[in-house]
Amino acid sequence: MSKAVTTFDLDIEHLLLRNVTDYAIYMLDPQGFVLSWNAGGERIKGYFDTEIIGQHFSRFYAPEEIRRGDPERSLAIARSEGRYEAEGWRVRKDGSLFRASIVIDPIRQDGELLGFAKVTRDITEKYNAQQNLQRTERVLAQAQKVHAIGKLTLGVAHDFNNLLTVVMNCLDLLSATHKDDRSSQLIRAAMEAAERGSRLSRQMLAFSRAQELNPRLHDLNELVTRSMERYRQVAGAIVCCESDLKPDLPKIMVDADQLEAALMNLVSNARDAMSGGRIVISTGTCTPDSSLHPDADGRKEYVCVTVRDDGPGMTEEVRLRAMEPFFTTKDVGRGSGLGLSQVYGFAAQSDGFASIESTPGEGTAVTIAIPAAETPHA
Ligand SMILES: Nc1ncnc2c1ncn2[C@@H]1O[C@H](COP(=O)(O)OP(=O)(O)OP(=O)(O)O)[C@@H](O)[C@H]1O
Ligand SMILES: [Mg+2]
């Protein structure tokens, strides 16, 4: 049985709306000026009713969205389609952003538009939690993919190496009996190709964490300083290469030659990415977030070396795939896509990890982190 609506009921409803704090519930006039306000609006957006009533609701939007005409468009959609629903970033009074879930309903009386009811919910926490979860899932999926490629690469590299050994032995035997100019030239060309193949298979083994390492206790700063001149040569004349070393680092157990090869790879990548600019090789310590680095142990202290450039950076798609073997964006013959794979495999085989931070237009930083050795500081 329905009951006639009394003034008392309306007062109760009004009271309820005014006091709801989880939702900003307010009315707009047909042009988008705020007519009413509630406690949720005050809590979520930071304005008191005296400050906001009479103001245009576009002030909750970012300047770029106002330029694009988003506020007017949302009212036009609500008017023509009977409802507007959206999720996006909105601006609080203090200028900070929050993730908002928004519903706008047109309010009509006898067909005439009186205004709009707008309900906004702050879903920033849920949104951030979802983003973090998705990021962790992406990182894990990528790590699993790289592990699987590692196994495959290991098998291929072993067989490939054995075949190349046979090819090189045969070429050696042939060279002893075929000494005329034409034969020697052909044998030399075949030998060079086989040696290049052998270098590739060594890099593949490095990616698969199966190269022979010769780890010793080293001071990272000493290793970087010792090879700095070589890194400068690789960087070339138009790119400046500097170091920024944090003193008194714990020692690390590492193969010095492979670390140098890894840093060479990083410096040459940075050089290739830039037409002039600056490369900084810095050292320090870090305790990694293991949700972002599945290969890292969040309880350990790591000693890190980072090669940072101010080049064009990578898209997220390139960043996620950059360490896969044979992934390259360079022209045929200019890159084999094994540089970062060596860095990845070397770091992993040294019980550490490698990570890439890069944003298009803002440069790239690749970090190799190796666990601090359990010995007293130097
Ligand atoms: N510093 C950087 N700035 C921008 N992009 C980079 C940088 N370093 C690597 N990349 C991207 O990652 C890809 C893979 O790098 P990687 O070193 O593994 O292979 P490569 O440089 O293409 O070839 P190779 O090192 O075998 O000669 C590059 O092709 C490039 O697209
Ligand atoms: Mg490279």
Side-chain angles (χ1 to χ4, degrees):
M1 207 173 69
S2 65
K3 183 165 83 77
V5 176
T6 63
T7 327
F8 174 73
D9 292 329
L10 288 175
D11 281 350
I12 291 274
E13 272 173 35
H14 188 67
L15 209 66
L16 178 76
L17 288 186
R18 275 204 61 79
N19 290 298
V20 164
T21 51
D22 284 347
Y23 295 79
I25 303 174
Y26 53 99
M27 279 285 293
L28 300 176
D29 75 4
Q31 283 70 46
F33 288 93
V34 178
L35 291 174
S36 69
W37 199 240
N38 78 335
E42 188 181 317
R43 191 182 71 82
I44 296 173
K45 306 197 189 210
Y47 294 97
F48 295 120
D49 52 3
T50 46
E51 297 170 297
I52 198 67
I53 289 177
Q55 300 293 325
H56 197 262
F57 86 117
S58 57
R59 69 166 48 207
F60 307 134
Y61 287 71
E64 196 191 310
E65 292 167 324
I66 298 176
R67 265 197 302 280
R68 279 204 309 253
D70 287 2
E72 290 74 16
R73 193 170 313 113
S74 62
L75 294 189
I77 293 174
R79 196 179 305 131
S80 62
E81 295 180 11
R83 171 164 267 220
Y84 172 82
E85 282 185 54
E87 190 185 308
W89 292 103
R90 292 291 177 271
V91 188
R92 294 194 185 96
K93 181 181 162 189
D94 64 8
S96 63
L97 295 177
F98 68 100
R99 189 80 185 170
S101 157
I102 300 140
V103 178
I104 307 179
D105 285 303
I107 306 290
R108 290 198 163 90
Q109 198 172 42
D110 304 327
E112 192 197 336
L113 183 73
L114 295 184
F116 298 91
K118 192 162 183 290
V119 179
T120 304
R121 198 154 52 101
D122 181 350
I123 54 164
T124 314
E125 265 179 41
K126 189 174 139 211
Y127 177 82
N128 286 343
Q130 252 168 10
Q131 293 294 308
N132 282 343
L133 187 67
Q134 278 173 10
R135 200 177 48 181
T136 309
E137 280 171 356
R138 264 205 313 272
V139 169
L140 267 177
Q142 184 61 17
Q144 280 165 353
K145 180 171 149 193
V146 171
H147 279 281
I149 303 176
K151 278 195 186 152
L152 180 73
T153 312
L154 180 60
V156 175
H158 265 309
D159 287 353
F160 194 48
N161 224 7
N162 293 343
L163 296 175
L164 285 172
T165 312
V166 177
V167 171
M168 288 200 271
N169 287 343
C170 294
L171 288 171
D172 242 1
L173 292 175
L174 277 179
S175 66
T177 50
H178 293 68
K179 292 189 180 292
D180 60 291
D181 281 357
R182 182 69 187 139
S183 302
S184 306
Q185 201 184 8
L186 290 173
I187 290 170
R188 207 176 315 119
M191 200 62 142
E192 273 168 19
E195 273 162 10
R196 162 122 183 86
S198 170
R199 271 201 302 280
L200 281 181
S201 76
R202 272 202 302 278
Q203 281 173 299
M204 284 158 73
L205 286 175
F207 169 72
S208 318
R209 317 168 180 200
Q211 67 183 335
E212 266 181 40
L213 289 184
N214 180 20
R216 289 188 192 284
L217 209 54
H218 285 287
D219 177 294
L220 178 62
N221 287 343
E222 260 173 47
L223 294 183
V224 172
T225 310
R226 198 199 292 169
S227 305
M228 206 52 212
E229 205 37 55
R230 268 185 238 172
Y231 303 141
R232 288 209 177 91
Q233 276 164 10
V234 171
I238 50 170
V239 173
C240 121
C241 184
E242 300 164 3
S243 60
D244 176 11
L245 310 178
K246 188 171 175 226
D248 300 328
L249 293 176
K251 293 208 168 183
I252 48 174
M253 276 297 275
V254 78
D255 182 318
D257 292 342
Q258 287 304 315
L259 177 74
E260 184 182 73
L263 291 175
M264 285 287 194
N265 280 329
L266 297 183
V267 171
S268 52
N269 278 352
R271 174 208 57 204
D272 289 351
M274 293 193 289
S275 47
R278 191 158 163 250
I279 300 174
V280 179
I281 304 180
S282 59
T283 59
T285 53
C286 64
T287 315
D289 174 350
S290 40
S291 71
L292 294 180
H293 306 287
D295 292 334
D297 180 342
R299 294 157 307 177
K300 276 189 188 166
E301 184 188 27
Y302 287 76
V303 182
C304 315
V305 54
T306 300
V307 177
R308 186 182 300 278
D309 65 60
D310 47 18
M314 302 179 204
T315 61
E316 186 61 3
E317 200 195 343
V318 169
R319 189 186 74 81
L320 285 172
R321 297 200 54 198
M323 288 187 186
E324 287 176 17
F326 302 109
F327 177 84
T328 181
T329 57
K330 295 176 186 169
D331 293 339
V332 179
R334 291 218 45 217
S336 50
L338 284 168
L340 286 176
S341 309
Q342 182 269 339
V343 172
Y344 165 87
F346 156 71
Q349 211 183 333
S350 311
D351 290 332
F353 64 94
S355 68
I356 304 175
E357 276 173 64
S358 188
T359 312
E362 289 179 24
T364 298
V366 184
T367 297
I368 299 173
I370 309 283
E374 282 158 8
T375 58
H377 287 201

